[in-house]
Amino acid sequence: MAFSLIGSISPYVTPWRGVAALCLLPLLIVLGFYICSTPNILRDLRRRKLPPGPTGLPFIGNLFDLADSNHVKDKAIEWWQKYGDVFYTRIGGTDYIWLSSPKAVKDLMDKKSNIYSSRPPMPLAQDTASAGCRQVFMPYGPRHRTVRKISHDLLNINATAQYQPIQDVESKQLMFELLEDPNGFYDYNRRYSASLICRIIYGERIQDWTDPLIQKIFSVLINLSDISSPGVHLIDTFPALKILPQWMCNDWKNYARKICEHDSGIYLELWRDLNKKVAAGNIKPCFGKDFVEKDLEKLQMNELEAAFHTGHLIEAGAETTSAALNSLLLALTLYPEASKKAQEELDRVVGPNRLPTFEDQDKLPYLKALVKEGLRWRPPNQYGMHHAVVEDDWYEGMFIPKGAVVMLNWWAIHFNPEVWENPYDFHPERYLGHPSPAATYLNASDPSARDHFAYGAGRRVCPGIHVAERSMFINIARILWSFNISKKVVDGKTIEPETLCVPGWLSVPQKFECSIIPRSEKHAEVIRREHELTKKDI
Ligand code: HEM
């Protein structure tokens, strides 16, 4: 092939043909690589037994079907209905196996977690832009186990009980912010979530939205979203292309290096500040302090890895929590019946003179159900959770090839009308039979006993689950105790809230409008009083 191309640009051909050939050269090389590096039936006969699925286009597979993140949900449900609980798609050279029933998730991600807990190769997002350091993209292996253990020590159920007082204070500030400036609710939820994690990790709060620290953190989060959306970067769609010169693939390395420079710069600055404060004895008890005092050599971590490992916990915990809070506010705006029922329960259990506390939790079954319904209705990312399988496997007569991305298809599971009546409606009652926290149901032996799959599955399940659950409970309980949420009315006209998500990986709702009004002057007074009292803790 190379020979005939060289021939075609010889002086004996017309100039335009030479130009066309030059343009075709990269395309043909890429195509050649694709054919040689992509698994196909000719090279592996077992692929005839791949799960059924939609036929994709040559070369790109189902890339276009999944290009609009806001429509992945509809596709994921449509394909499940057509092809069954385990179906197959392809993007570029990567196989995708979608697990669309609790049983399939249990059988593979949980029961065979030794081989279903990895992540697909991401030369751009993980190897270059994250310097290989982001836990959430790390392939399964000794390095992932080390950082996972560190997260577990920080976030296990006993350790997280000590963060409740921080959640209490941050949440009281959130109620005060909503009282003073209800239109800013979207960013106040973000401030809450980022401040909580910063306090736990670096011992530092974020006082308000203009705080430079939150601006820095969100600049990293924007990069993270840019690098991680499936199908957006050719090189992560076709990882085998990484051996080609980068000019053929959109200059991907330079782009990823710039992101890495920016993100590592911020994380290193935070890490070095942390070290200085620890050395000066000028820091509140926090994860960062304990981590700095650990022997990094023993953990086989260099400075950059340690900096990423502290910083990335903020990215993992901040935007997920604020997106879940904002999604719940959206649901409450659209479904006022749910707010009304939760408020009746709160009035009965808590009364009018104080804010709800963590101690009220067991007496508020409807409110706990409402939080679960929020995560069923809008799970944390728009695609489903992706693991990668590290060995060839068979499931119910279907071949699952080594290296396939295995998707936890929470859209199909959460919107199965045989399990959840009218699944598109927000209806907390459906969870009254699941009174315990989500962590209790993770390892249930009966796969259908799980409440929802929004925290993932198997060995990669969200280690921040206890912190997240408490944040969701305390803030939603207090918001509904304090305020009436409804659609906004301007000049007599009702404004329908925007229901789409920001394009990209995470299910971050687009900014939307809603009305947040104190339920009475007495409720407002309680918020002011409680906020005033927290000033001594801040
Ligand atoms: C409502 C809030 C949250 C939701 C819905 C959520 C959900 C998830 C999901 C679905 C995963 C991937 C699971 C899988 O691969 O199967 C994950 C991973 C992770 N989450 Fe969360 N999360 C939340 C909050 C938090 C918080 C508050 C923290 C930490 C403070 C946290 C830390 C992490 C970490 C470190 C990982 C990576 C785990 C690994 O790859 O080993 N998350 N989370």
Side-chain angles (χ1 to χ4, degrees):
M1 185 195 302
F3 184 76
S4 65
L5 262 169
I6 292 165
S8 72
I9 53 173
S10 77
Y12 301 105
V13 295
T14 52
W16 68 267
R17 272 200 179 163
V19 172
L22 265 179
C23 297
L24 274 179
L25 178 64
L27 192 71
L28 287 174
I29 295 179
V30 167
L31 208 67
F33 263 110
Y34 173 70
I35 290 165
C36 297
S37 62
T38 308
N40 55 55
I41 285 185
L42 295 176
R43 290 171 54 193
D44 186 347
L45 282 177
R46 293 171 305 174
R47 294 181 68 83
R48 283 182 307 182
K49 297 280 184 190
L50 284 170
T55 323
L57 293 169
F59 196 50
I60 55 173
N62 306 94
L63 180 66
F64 289 151
D65 290 321
L66 301 169
D68 179 349
S69 54
N70 269 295
H71 287 122
V72 172
K73 169 185 177 180
D74 301 334
K75 276 283 163 205
I77 293 173
E78 182 195 315
W79 286 332
W80 158 65
Q81 285 167 340
K82 198 160 171 196
Y83 301 106
D85 288 348
V86 180
F87 64 87
Y88 172 87
T89 60
R90 183 173 59 80
I91 297 186
T94 309
D95 299 313
Y96 283 73
I97 311 284
W98 298 67
L99 308 181
S100 311
S101 72
K103 181 175 179 309
V105 174
K106 179 98 214 156
D107 287 347
L108 300 181
M109 288 188 172
D110 285 355
K111 289 191 184 160
K112 291 185 167 182
S113 59
N114 57 326
I115 59 167
Y116 279 87
S117 297
S118 203
R119 298 281 194 226
M122 299 172 104
L124 186 154
Q126 171 69 346
D127 304 346
T128 315
S130 311
C133 296
R134 273 196 166 97
Q135 177 180 347
V136 73
F137 299 150
M138 248 178 218
Y140 190 62
R143 191 135 173 249
H144 175 261
R145 278 195 290 276
T146 304
V147 291
R148 178 90 196 176
K149 184 178 176 313
I150 298 168
S151 330
H152 177 76
D153 291 347
L154 167 76
L155 297 166
N156 69 61
I157 190 150
N158 296 326
T160 49
Q162 58 181 310
Y163 311 141
Q164 267 189 203
I166 307 174
Q167 288 172 297
D168 177 54
V169 168
E170 293 293 354
S171 156
K172 284 175 179 162
Q173 175 165 338
L174 175 62
M175 296 312 122
F176 184 71
E177 287 162 335
L178 296 178
L179 182 67
E180 295 287 296
D181 174 22
N183 289 335
F185 71 91
Y186 191 93
D187 287 340
Y188 293 133
N189 282 330
R190 286 175 140 181
R191 186 213 59 78
Y192 165 88
S193 312
S195 185
L196 169 69
I197 312 287
C198 279
R199 173 65 188 81
I200 294 174
I201 305 294
Y202 293 112
E204 296 247 2
R205 294 192 63 233
I206 290 172
Q207 306 284 353
D208 64 61
W209 184 247
T210 56
D211 190 317
L213 184 54
I214 200 167
Q215 300 305 326
K216 284 182 192 167
I217 288 168
F218 271 89
S219 66
V220 175
L221 282 169
I222 290 168
N223 282 345
L224 179 62
S225 182
D226 284 352
I227 59 176
S228 57
S229 293
V232 169
H233 296 289
L234 181 74
I235 205 72
D236 283 352
T237 310
F238 300 91
L241 298 183
K242 72 177 179 188
I243 54 170
L244 291 179
Q246 61 153 329
W247 59 265
M248 284 186 170
C249 304
N250 219 8
D251 211 13
W252 68 274
K253 243 186 204 164
N254 286 338
Y255 162 78
R257 279 188 191 129
K258 272 188 198 133
I259 298 234
C260 184
E261 217 172 281
H262 171 271
D263 294 0
S264 352
I266 288 178
Y267 285 156
L268 279 170
E269 185 189 327
L270 290 170
W271 174 252
R272 286 171 189 159
D273 273 2
L274 186 71
N275 276 269
K276 278 187 208 146
K277 283 183 193 147
V278 174
N282 174 22
I283 187 161
K284 292 186 177 145
C286 62
F287 163 77
K289 177 174 181 293
D290 299 344
F291 196 43
V292 164
E293 285 163 357
K294 272 192 198 313
D295 183 354
L296 288 185
E297 253 176 53
K298 214 165 146 197
L299 291 171
Q300 294 181 324
M301 268 192 195
N302 60 31
E303 189 190 29
L304 183 63
E305 287 168 322
F308 250 97
H309 192 58
T310 35
H312 108 278
L313 286 165
I314 301 180
E315 15 173 279
E319 194 68 334
T320 39
T321 306
S322 61
L325 284 172
N326 280 321
S327 296
L328 254 178
L329 277 181
L330 176 64
L332 294 171
T333 310
L334 296 168
Y335 297 89
E337 263 310 291
S339 298
K340 221 172 120 215
K341 286 186 186 158
Q343 286 176 332
E344 278 162 15
E345 185 181 73
L346 283 160
D347 291 347
R348 192 166 13 90
V349 173
V350 179
N353 299 320
R354 64 170 178 88
L355 286 172
T357 63
F358 287 107
E359 287 67 42
D360 296 318
Q361 217 164 160
D362 288 342
K363 290 169 257 154
L364 296 169
Y366 189 85
L367 213 119
K368 288 190 291 179
L370 188 143
V371 169
K372 286 184 195 291
E373 176 68 344
L375 288 168
R376 180 197 71 85
W377 188 71
R378 199 46 93 73
N381 79 52
Q382 301 197 67
Y383 291 82
M385 203 54 227
H386 64 297
H387 290 202
V389 56
V390 293
E391 283 175 20
D392 288 333
D393 195 23
W394 289 88
Y395 183 62
E396 297 186 343
M398 291 172 278
F399 176 53
I400 301 189
K402 173 182 173 178
V405 177
V406 181
M407 299 292 284
L408 194 174
N409 185 357
W410 45 44
W411 297 119
I413 298 175
H414 289 182
F415 287 78
N416 180 345
E418 280 174 22
V419 179
W420 311 112
E421 210 184 324
N422 299 323
Y424 290 85
D425 290 350
F426 185 84
H427 191 61
E429 282 79 356
R430 53 178 113 244
Y431 279 116
L432 288 173
H434 285 87
S436 305
T440 319
Y441 302 106
L442 289 179
N443 299 316
S445 53
D446 171 5
S448 63
R450 260 193 87 167
D451 46 1
H452 57 75
F453 288 77
Y455 292 109
R459 294 188 192 174
R460 296 306 278 244
V461 83
C462 174
I465 186 168
H466 307 296
V467 174
E469 289 267 285
R470 288 193 182 117
S471 283
M472 299 297 293
F473 167 78
I474 200 66
N475 289 312
I476 293 301
R478 287 178 175 173
I479 287 173
L480 282 169
W481 181 91
S482 309
F483 304 100
N484 286 324
I485 316 286
S486 61
K487 290 184 186 170
K488 213 170 197 176
V489 180
V490 177
D491 299 333
K493 247 180 94 183
T494 304
I495 300 181
E496 288 303 322
E498 174 60 69
T499 55
L500 290 180
C501 287
V502 175
W505 173 250
L506 284 177
S507 302
V508 177
Q510 289 195 15
K511 285 204 170 172
F512 63 95
E513 296 204 68
C514 70
S515 154
I516 302 179
I517 296 176
R519 293 179 70 200
S520 72
E521 187 42 41
K522 186 161 185 196
H523 286 86
E525 258 170 44
V526 172
I527 297 173
R528 285 191 202 100
R529 186 188 69 213
E530 297 264 5
H531 178 247
E532 196 57 35
L533 288 174
T534 61
K535 285 193 175 152
K536 66 172 178 19
D537 305 318
I538 293 175

